[in-house]
Amino acid sequence: MSPSSNGDSPHSISGTMTATANANTVRQYPLPTRDFTIDIPSPQFIASANGVHSLKSPTGLKLGRTMNFSREGILGSAQKARNLSQSSDQRPDNVSNGMQKTSSDEGINPLKRRQTSDVGVDYPRRRATIACEVCRSRKSRCDGTKPKCKLCTELGAECIYREPGIKLDAGDKLILEHLNRIESLLQMNMGGHANGMAMSHDSPNMSNGTALSGDNLMMANGSNNFVSIIPSGGLGTWSATATNNISTMPKVHTNAALHLLQWPLIRDLVSRPYDPQILLQLEMAREPLHSLTKTPCVDLSNTNAYIEAYFERVNVWYACVNPYTWRSHYRIALSNGFREGPESCIVLLVLSLGQASLRGSISRIVPHEDPPGLQYFTAAWALLPGMMTSNSVLAAQCHLLAAAYLFYLVRPLEAWNLLCTTSTKLQLLLMSPNRVPADQRELSERIYWNALLFESDLLAELDLPHSGVVAFEENVGLPGGFEGDEQEAVGRDELWYFLAEIALRRLLNRVSQLIYSKDSMASTTSLEPVVAELDYQLTQWYESLPLPLQFPFTRNMLPDPVQTVLRLRFFACRTIIYRPYILAVLDNEQAVLDPSVRESCHKCLEASIRQLEHISAHHAGHMPYLWQGALSIVSQTLLVMGATMSPSLSSILLSLVAHRDVIDQIINNVVVEIERYSVLSPSLSLSAEIIKEAEVRRRAFLSGAALQ
């Protein structure tokens, strides 16, 4: 069901709905037997075809890995997305979705790529009479503008038009192709010698953005007869140009919450300037967990309840514990007395997360009381040194689950340290396909995507070193269903949320690359096609969700925590897509006279209000997202505060709420909520101080303005 089918849509959000039930439990979705799609289309081919690739339902998990999860269907093509600003202004209003079959072996071999083709819908395309050389080489539409076309202007490239009347015959084209190929091989060969690597030149490029060039080299190993894909910089290295992928977090960006304190009017809400690095500095100076040095004392009397709680309430967020092999892990851990081995560590971490999930938000726990699950985590922590020196998939799983519990404890920097260890192990395993046992490939893929998701979330707020795990993104398959020897699983294998989050996180990264990186466009005019395309992709993401995950766009709280989290993430993404227009108006009130700027400001402020109007709804995502969610709340609140100080933006806000007092109440609720988080983390403590001071100064500003 699309959001427009019942009158509710991401573009016009209205309606009412009565919220029922408690949002503390995760609903087990009846899994449909039909196919469904999660599609973020590539901006380059939207105008010609909107191919949607099917995702088989995990109802057939016990029958083996027969499902085909298409990277293009879920995540879109990052390589083709580089030309998104050209296609958005020529996209047809109505594009019908076609269904494209996938071959049965793609789920087994994630390195195999499928060629996409048009679905038979042929739209008229406007072409320039003469295309420049850059557009010809990229096979992109050229608008023919001189002296520079639109694409060359955006890329900062030299725009050269071929003289009219000069036509190349087949022989000329063949010669040029050979020259280009020789030039490419020479460049790659130089890079190969510089890095001390032997290269294979006769391997064809892989499709869909996985062609290796420059920093990515193919190394053939004759003795083992396999191909290994290794970043030329070595383990743990990464650069945006090396991956050639705009769906990754940029190394330098201005998307973090505290960057708003440098904006006009908003900077007047704080008494002193804050370096955006202050949050990282506070977390680095933080005292370690003292309880981890104690001798662990583990109570195993209620393990069944905690295991059940984990698979019911926690695994839906991470999807990284196999319910079909759980009993085997538990038997091994029990035989070892929970004192050695990766199985013991995994079981203890599952127990800690399961117990934590039964207590609700950690922000509601009595201060100085041990958080739930800490005794199991302490016991698991004692086993982690043994996992540190192991490079197995299970060792990586141990570090990932430990990071998940540290996220629950609101310790983002400690979680990042464990994620880096997870990343290192994954990179060692992924360098050669035969290093991962066949029965653990599915688990390794899920651990990989978890590591990438949470590293991206941290990089959005903290200036941390990139682990380098993103370099393998194009070569890792998507989850396709767990297998196991046990006939009856201890819990359900939920994939829907996990797949949807992968797609949304990549879109969020794309927003950061195209709008907030150091190379992004500055003016609202140049941003317009990019913003329109990104918003279109966000809408497509929503419309491609399976029905159980499609949240309504009503103004009420939702009873389902998964739908609640996805809706909050949707509005967070929409806010940052349109946020530059708020900055334009804060900098110059006259900018709002442009109807497109005013409409974009309306969309941004509407998305911000939707995230803040029911502040307790954020509790649904507190297990994985409390720290990230809190900074998102602070960011949107600062945006709304600044808008109330601008006459034109204030009028837009008043069109979204019933009365000015409603905005004051929303902000007050945020201040109270963030103050509750302040005891959990020094970075959140500072955020609470900033937001509290900002509200005092905002009210003083508005009172002074009213008196004038």
Side-chain angles (χ1 to χ4, degrees):
M1 179 187 299
S2 69
S4 59
S5 61
N6 59 1
D8 298 329
S9 74
H11 301 285
S12 177
I13 302 166
S14 60
T16 56
M17 175 182 177
T18 304
T20 57
N22 192 324
N24 290 331
T25 60
V26 175
R27 182 176 66 191
Q28 300 296 333
Y29 303 122
L31 302 182
T33 55
R34 61 175 179 82
D35 292 354
F36 76 94
T37 62
I38 300 179
D39 179 35
I40 292 183
S42 164
Q44 190 178 22
F45 59 75
I46 288 172
S48 57
N50 189 5
V52 179
H53 309 287
S54 62
L55 297 175
K56 296 294 183 65
S57 165
T59 47
L61 299 182
K62 298 181 184 178
L63 302 178
R65 182 168 176 161
T66 59
M67 287 132 296
N68 303 316
F69 287 80
S70 162
R71 173 177 297 279
E72 293 78 15
I74 295 185
L75 304 177
S77 172
Q79 181 73 12
K80 294 182 179 180
R82 300 181 67 86
N83 294 332
L84 87 174
S85 62
Q86 298 172 274
S87 63
S88 60
D89 57 342
Q90 297 189 29
R91 182 179 58 247
D93 293 333
N94 297 303
V95 180
S96 59
N97 290 336
M99 192 65 70
Q100 194 168 11
K101 298 293 183 180
T102 59
S103 57
S104 59
D105 59 346
E106 282 181 33
I108 299 171
N109 184 7
L111 295 178
K112 185 169 183 178
R113 296 289 177 224
R114 181 179 64 259
Q115 295 291 339
T116 59
S117 61
D118 288 353
V119 203
V121 182
D122 187 18
Y123 292 98
R125 302 174 67 183
R126 294 177 291 177
R127 293 186 179 275
T129 305
I130 301 174
C132 73
E133 293 298 328
V134 173
C135 291
R136 286 179 184 275
S137 66
R138 296 167 66 97
K139 296 182 180 179
S140 302
R141 291 188 295 277
C142 182
D143 61 6
T145 304
K146 293 184 179 181
K148 270 194 174 186
C149 71
K150 184 177 180 181
L151 176 61
C152 290
T153 301
E154 291 176 356
L155 295 178
E158 184 179 4
C159 190
I160 302 174
Y161 288 93
R162 186 182 299 164
E163 289 298 325
I166 301 176
K167 295 184 179 180
L168 298 178
D169 58 20
D172 294 330
K173 292 180 180 179
L174 186 62
I175 291 171
L176 289 176
E177 288 174 2
H178 278 297
L179 288 174
N180 288 335
R181 183 171 182 272
I182 291 170
E183 183 181 4
S184 298
L185 292 177
L186 286 172
Q187 290 176 350
M188 293 175 68
N189 202 15
M190 290 172 64
H193 287 308
N195 290 282
M197 292 184 175
M199 295 187 54
S200 172
H201 300 315
D202 54 357
S203 300
N205 288 337
M206 289 183 288
S207 63
N208 296 326
T210 58
L212 302 176
S213 61
D215 293 332
N216 289 329
L217 309 177
M218 290 189 87
M219 298 184 61
N221 188 323
S223 59
N224 294 317
N225 195 28
F226 68 86
V227 173
S228 173
I229 301 175
I230 304 176
S232 66
L235 189 66
T237 60
W238 177 89
S239 70
T241 55
T243 60
N244 202 26
N245 186 348
I246 63 169
S247 298
T248 59
M249 280 300 298
K251 286 220 170 180
V252 180
H253 65 86
T254 57
N255 197 11
L258 291 196
H259 275 285
L260 271 72
L261 296 179
Q262 302 172 9
W263 286 22
L265 293 184
I266 297 179
R267 59 175 170 245
D268 298 332
L269 297 176
V270 290
S271 55
R272 62 186 181 91
Y274 287 96
D275 186 337
Q277 294 298 313
I278 186 65
L279 298 185
L280 178 59
Q281 295 168 13
L282 289 171
E283 291 296 333
M284 288 181 67
R286 187 176 184 177
E287 287 291 321
L289 277 169
H290 296 295
S291 58
L292 298 182
T293 60
K294 300 176 183 177
T295 303
C297 179
V298 178
D299 178 12
L300 299 175
S301 61
N302 203 24
T303 57
N304 287 337
Y306 299 149
I307 293 168
E308 182 180 343
Y310 175 85
F311 282 102
E312 205 174 281
R313 300 162 178 259
V314 182
N315 208 43
V316 65
W317 309 117
Y318 305 101
C320 64
V321 177
N322 189 344
Y324 296 98
T325 59
W326 170 256
R327 290 187 176 88
S328 174
H329 279 3
Y330 193 86
R331 284 193 296 269
I332 295 173
L334 192 62
S335 66
N336 291 330
F338 299 95
R339 294 179 180 175
E340 62 179 16
E343 293 85 2
S344 299
C345 191
I346 291 168
V347 169
L348 289 168
L349 289 168
V350 165
L351 291 172
S352 67
L353 289 164
Q355 185 180 15
S357 71
L358 293 173
R359 290 288 300 274
S361 172
I362 194 172
S363 65
R364 298 300 190 262
I365 294 175
V366 179
H368 310 300
E369 175 188 338
D370 280 347
L374 187 61
Q375 59 166 328
Y376 298 114
F377 181 75
T378 303
W381 188 262
L383 302 179
L384 275 181
M387 302 302 103
M388 184 75 71
T389 54
S390 172
N391 292 308
S392 66
V393 176
L394 292 184
Q397 185 182 20
C398 290
H399 284 85
L400 178 69
L401 289 169
Y405 186 78
L406 288 172
F407 272 122
Y408 165 74
L409 293 184
V410 200
R411 289 188 164 263
L413 202 56
E414 287 96 323
W416 172 78
N417 276 285
L418 291 182
L419 285 173
C420 286
T421 304
T422 306
S423 169
T424 302
K425 296 180 188 303
L426 287 170
Q427 291 180 69
L428 286 171
L429 291 168
L430 294 172
M431 278 181 170
S432 300
N434 62 349
R435 289 182 185 171
V436 180
D439 61 344
Q440 293 183 357
R441 285 177 187 166
E442 174 73 16
L443 177 60
S444 68
E445 291 168 358
R446 299 195 187 199
I447 296 171
Y448 177 88
W449 288 112
N450 269 294
L452 197 60
L453 290 174
F454 286 101
E455 178 177 318
S456 296
D457 275 339
L458 289 172
L459 292 174
E461 296 295 347
L462 301 177
D463 186 17
L464 296 165
H466 291 235
S467 71
V469 73
V470 71
F472 295 86
E473 182 180 2
E474 292 298 319
N475 307 304
V476 176
L478 288 165
F482 271 131
E483 299 176 7
D485 298 330
E486 298 165 16
Q487 293 184 353
E488 186 176 352
V490 68
R492 296 177 68 90
D493 184 21
E494 296 285 358
L495 277 176
W496 296 165
Y497 170 83
F498 192 52
L499 290 168
E501 181 59 31
I502 291 172
L504 187 59
R505 183 66 254 179
R506 294 195 73 208
L507 178 55
L508 284 162
N509 291 350
R510 205 173 298 168
V511 174
S512 295
Q513 281 277 6
L514 295 171
I515 299 180
Y516 295 96
S517 69
K518 62 178 181 179
D519 300 322
S520 61
M521 286 73 73
S523 69
T524 55
T525 303
S526 60
L527 273 176
E528 188 172 345
V530 178
V531 166
E533 185 59 55
L534 291 170
D535 188 53
Y536 175 78
Q537 291 186 28
L538 179 61
T539 302
Q540 287 295 100
W541 170 83
Y542 170 79
E543 291 178 347
S544 298
L545 290 174
L547 289 179
L549 266 63
Q550 274 197 0
F551 46 85
F553 286 95
T554 57
R555 301 295 290 261
N556 303 85
M557 291 183 64
L558 301 176
D560 189 292
V562 171
Q563 287 188 351
T564 299
V565 170
L566 287 176
R567 189 166 74 173
L568 289 170
R569 300 280 276 181
F570 173 93
F571 284 121
C573 184
R574 201 154 198 245
T575 300
I576 65 170
I577 288 175
Y578 286 101
R579 203 165 69 187
Y581 291 93
I582 302 294
L583 174 59
V585 176
L586 291 178
D587 191 52
N588 179 11
E589 283 284 327
Q590 300 302 312
V592 81
L593 298 177
D594 184 338
S596 63
V597 172
R598 185 176 182 84
E599 176 63 21
S600 296
C601 289
H602 185 280
K603 292 177 180 178
C604 180
L605 292 174
E606 181 184 36
S608 297
I609 291 294
R610 292 302 306 275
Q611 292 173 80
L612 303 176
E613 60 187 352
H614 298 297
I615 199 66
S616 61
H618 289 265
H619 293 182
H622 271 195
M623 177 62 78
Y625 291 125
L626 190 149
W627 185 79
Q628 301 95 313
L631 290 179
S632 179
I633 291 170
V634 169
S635 176
Q636 316 318 336
T637 306
L638 288 172
L639 202 67
V640 171
M641 286 179 170
T644 63
M645 300 162 67
S646 160
S648 53
L649 295 178
S650 180
S651 67
I652 295 175
L653 278 174
L654 292 177
S655 70
L656 297 170
V657 296
H659 193 271
R660 190 182 302 273
D661 293 342
V662 174
I663 297 175
D664 294 342
Q665 186 59 51
I666 287 174
I667 295 174
N668 183 67
N669 291 341
V670 169
V671 172
V672 172
E673 184 73 5
I674 299 300
E675 278 190 315
R676 288 184 178 136
Y677 303 166
S678 62
V679 297
L680 301 174
S681 152
S683 55
L684 294 189
S685 177
L686 177 62
S687 299
E689 291 176 17
I690 290 174
I691 209 76
K692 188 174 182 179
E693 180 192 9
E695 175 58 0
V696 172
R697 294 170 72 96
R698 183 190 76 93
R699 296 209 176 213
F701 175 90
L702 294 178
S703 298
L707 293 174
Q708 291 177 0

